[in-house]
Amino acid sequence: MNPRRHHRSSGEPGREGSPPPDEVTAIFDGMLQHARELLAVRSPLDAELIVSEILGSWWAKRVPDGDVEEIIGEALVAHAGTVGTPAALALLIGMAYMGTPRQAAMAERAALELMGNGVARPGWADRVGMVAPEECFVSRDVYGDQDSIVCTYTYGGTERHALVILVDRNKAGAVPSASGQFAPVARVGRPPMPGMVRDAWVSSKVDTLLDHCRREGRDNPLMRFEPLDSRDARALLQSALDLTDDTDDPPVNENFGSYHAFVRARVDILPPGGRLPQPPVYGRDRRATIAARFLASDEAEGLSDLSAASRCVDRIIDYGCTHDFGRPLRVSPVKCEMFLLDWLPRKVLLSPTEQEAVPHVLAAWVRWAGKRTGLPEEGIRATLDALWDATAKFAEAYRDPSAFGLDRDLVGRLLPDGDLEALPRRAFALPFLSGTHRRSGRHGFINLSTLDPADRDDRRVILEFEHPGADEEHLNAHERLAERLWDGEPPQLWDTAQSLLDIGYERHEILHKLIDVLDRCGEDPEALREALHVLRHEPPPE
């Protein structure tokens, strides 16, 4: 459950984990001062954008042990109702349209009460929210990296405006989709694949904007501009917004929070019924067939080490299937850079021959896959240019553990799945790389160098070696934590451990803090995330 969009029981400012009442009141008074701008505007569009900016001041923020929309948003409604000024009423009218469902209901009741007491309404009050959608369009690059969704609206035929929303799939590819099941659809144009909202903006110069997009789609071989069914636009944007909202610290434009409530409200009035396309399923046999066809192609003919090339192309295909919405054949400058400089260095343990081969295999793949997906020659050239620029940085980005003096056999046992990103957290969870182990090498009659940390029984022996004389319950607690750290579930567990290391806590003290949190939270994943968030802000040790 997302604490920014759902609600638990109602609460009051000043409860445990919340700012003190005087501080909250000062914050709310500042927001009401901002709301005075609502009294100076005549346009409902301007009013909605101001209200959205106020609501965005806490979007994506988190509060310990609570719901930010409840602690701040709903409390602001209560405070505005108590203040009872014309600015407070204007803000309440805007929140009745743009707030969360609970905020909207509370704001409507408070606004009606203030109007009943004779507080003057702003001139735009009767028209706020009385907006209807017109058309939707999509401006997309031929690579499939990003789409700009353009939706036009009017207030009864007047004040026509366009909302432009940037949907980015490269940033979203590694994040599980929040939209549930996808289903195929075939209406106006090709429905875009899901992604993450990165930015949004509003223009009142609708015709100028659309003319510019049409020219770019006509004159730029790397861009397309076409109509988009409004139902598909809603399905895409709801999914992308959900993904953005459900992501901790989403990679959005710094001003996106100011538009968030406005975007949500505008997307909600688009017609329902659209569905997102189903990503194709690539099983093991299908992936192997694609790899075999590539390796037999003219583009792969110049690859000198076919064994290393085979392993590299398997990584390329896996990345496209798992982290690019089931699109292994899609190539682009950004995707190649992310694969080579971000994903491989974090996630994959490459042999020295694979490290040397992967840029050349990727270049051949770009030529082969680009032709098969109909990518214009300009797009293939631009992708290859970006790839060769990234190749010079790959040697720096990819840090082979053996370069730091780590035994490659030991690294291989810690990474049976080849997940390079897991190395530091697994080494932290198990004292397998410590100097003591390397010196002694034995635990009783057991040769520690023969133990497999991926095996639960062997893992238990390692933990017994680290905790001589510990009772069964204590060892069980360490074993449960070690298993979670080994699997990286939840990711916040290792994030918290690193934060505590950074401020000076010792490893074993951190392990016990994490065990305490796991014991307290039990099987409640939301409680665990919140408790880890609090623990990450622990003061440094004295």
Side-chain angles (χ1 to χ4, degrees):
M1 184 179 291
N2 181 355
R4 293 194 292 268
R5 298 176 52 238
H6 300 276
H7 305 278
R8 291 191 283 268
S9 59
S10 61
E12 299 297 331
R15 66 185 181 180
E16 185 179 356
S18 305
D22 290 345
E23 183 180 334
V24 171
T25 299
I27 293 172
F28 290 166
D29 286 342
M31 292 177 181
L32 289 179
Q33 188 168 354
H34 187 179
R36 292 179 185 175
E37 296 178 22
L38 294 168
L39 305 178
V41 300
R42 297 183 178 181
S43 163
L45 174 61
D46 291 339
E48 289 168 17
L49 289 171
I50 292 171
V51 172
S52 182
E53 184 178 0
I54 294 172
L55 298 182
S57 62
W58 64 82
W59 178 77
K61 300 292 192 300
R62 301 183 70 90
V63 292
D65 303 320
D67 180 342
V68 67
E69 294 289 359
E70 179 182 298
I71 291 175
I72 299 180
E74 295 174 22
L76 173 61
V77 172
H79 182 74
T82 301
V83 172
T85 61
L89 174 58
L91 178 59
L92 290 170
I93 292 171
M95 291 184 72
Y97 168 58
M98 308 193 72
T100 66
R102 282 175 53 119
Q103 291 169 5
M106 292 174 61
E108 184 175 12
R109 288 195 298 269
L112 289 172
E113 183 175 347
L114 292 184
M115 287 187 287
N117 292 334
V119 180
R121 294 190 306 164
W124 47 260
D126 289 335
R127 301 179 63 206
V128 68
M130 302 297 290
V131 62
E134 286 189 327
E135 300 175 286
C136 294
F137 305 87
V138 56
S139 176
R140 61 163 60 95
D141 62 63
V142 296
Y143 304 113
D145 285 330
Q146 292 184 339
D147 288 343
S148 291
I149 309 298
V150 183
C151 303
T152 64
Y153 302 85
T154 67
Y155 293 86
T158 64
E159 293 197 69
R160 191 176 184 222
H161 56 281
L163 173 63
V164 184
I165 303 174
L166 178 65
V167 177
D168 187 334
R169 294 186 195 83
N170 283 312
K171 294 296 183 184
V175 184
S177 172
S179 60
Q181 295 294 318
F182 302 136
V185 62
R187 283 194 287 271
V188 179
R190 175 173 58 87
M193 294 296 291
M196 174 183 287
V197 172
R198 296 282 312 279
D199 199 3
W201 54 281
V202 175
S203 174
S204 59
K205 299 180 179 180
V206 178
D207 291 334
T208 301
L209 171 67
L210 295 179
D211 287 344
H212 170 77
C213 292
R214 290 189 183 100
R215 279 197 308 275
E216 187 173 37
R218 183 179 61 248
D219 300 338
N220 186 342
L222 300 181
M223 294 298 297
R224 302 287 184 268
F225 183 71
E226 57 194 24
L228 176 64
D229 189 286
S230 297
R231 294 167 292 179
D232 294 334
R234 174 170 174 161
L236 165 69
L237 293 173
Q238 283 184 332
S239 169
L241 279 168
D242 287 344
L243 189 51
T244 300
D245 286 347
D246 290 341
T247 302
D248 287 334
D249 299 321
V252 297
N253 181 281
E254 61 181 356
N255 296 319
F256 175 71
S258 298
Y259 288 97
H260 178 265
F262 183 88
V263 170
R264 275 278 176 198
R266 286 296 187 269
V267 171
D268 284 347
I269 64 172
L270 292 173
R275 294 177 294 175
L276 296 178
Q278 173 89 28
V281 177
Y282 288 86
R284 181 179 301 177
D285 290 344
R286 190 176 180 187
R287 297 185 191 196
T289 299
I290 295 173
R293 288 176 178 169
F294 164 71
L295 292 171
S297 69
D298 293 340
E299 288 81 5
E301 188 176 8
L303 299 175
S304 56
D305 187 338
L306 287 182
S307 176
S310 177
R311 295 191 296 272
C312 291
V313 77
D314 286 343
R315 298 294 189 184
I316 294 169
I317 294 171
D318 288 346
Y319 178 74
C321 292
T322 306
H323 298 282
D324 192 28
F325 300 108
R327 299 183 293 176
L329 297 182
R330 187 182 81 86
V331 295
S332 80
V334 175
K335 182 179 177 181
C336 288
E337 288 174 355
M338 291 182 67
F339 173 76
L340 201 60
L341 301 181
D342 178 56
W343 188 73
L344 279 179
R346 287 189 301 106
K347 297 294 292 182
V348 180
L349 181 62
L350 295 172
S351 69
T353 55
E354 291 166 352
Q355 293 173 42
E356 183 177 347
V358 69
H360 304 284
V361 177
L362 185 55
W365 177 266
V366 167
R367 298 186 186 97
W368 182 80
K371 290 180 181 178
R372 276 145 189 81
T373 56
L375 187 65
E377 188 62 33
E378 297 92 337
I380 294 176
R381 286 199 302 269
T383 302
L384 289 172
D385 287 345
L387 168 59
W388 295 128
D389 287 343
T391 298
K393 305 171 187 174
F394 177 64
E396 297 179 12
Y398 190 86
R399 300 292 181 139
D400 191 326
S402 61
F404 299 96
L406 298 178
D407 181 76
R408 196 164 186 90
D409 174 67
L410 179 57
V411 172
R413 278 184 285 150
L414 283 168
L415 304 178
D417 50 5
D419 184 358
L420 189 57
E421 192 176 41
L423 180 60
R425 72 167 187 269
R426 290 176 182 174
F428 176 83
L430 301 167
F432 208 77
L433 300 177
S434 69
T436 302
H437 278 216
R438 289 201 299 268
R439 285 195 302 271
S440 68
R442 305 195 69 83
H443 174 43
F445 295 103
I446 299 173
N447 183 349
L448 294 173
S449 66
T450 66
L451 294 178
D452 178 7
D455 181 84
R456 297 187 66 176
D457 292 337
D458 285 4
R459 196 183 300 163
R460 177 74 173 207
V461 174
I462 296 171
L463 292 170
E464 288 174 352
F465 177 83
E466 187 185 17
H467 301 85
D471 60 33
E472 196 78 6
E473 183 178 356
H474 188 78
L475 286 171
N476 289 342
H478 275 282
E479 188 173 15
R480 288 193 297 272
L481 175 60
E483 184 172 0
R484 281 179 174 264
L485 286 169
W486 182 274
D487 295 335
E489 292 295 335
Q492 294 88 345
L493 202 63
W494 175 231
D495 292 341
T496 302
Q498 292 178 93
S499 296
L500 295 176
L501 282 170
D502 288 343
I503 61 174
Y505 282 96
E506 297 293 332
R507 171 183 170 272
H508 209 78
E509 188 176 7
I510 295 171
L511 293 176
H512 280 270
K513 286 179 177 291
L514 296 177
I515 287 171
D516 289 343
V517 167
L518 291 175
D519 288 344
R520 274 201 325 272
C521 298
E523 299 300 320
D524 186 342
E526 184 176 352
L528 178 58
R529 284 194 296 270
E530 294 294 343
L532 291 172
H533 174 78
V534 174
L535 185 57
R536 279 199 295 275
H537 295 84
E538 186 101 342
E542 296 181 358

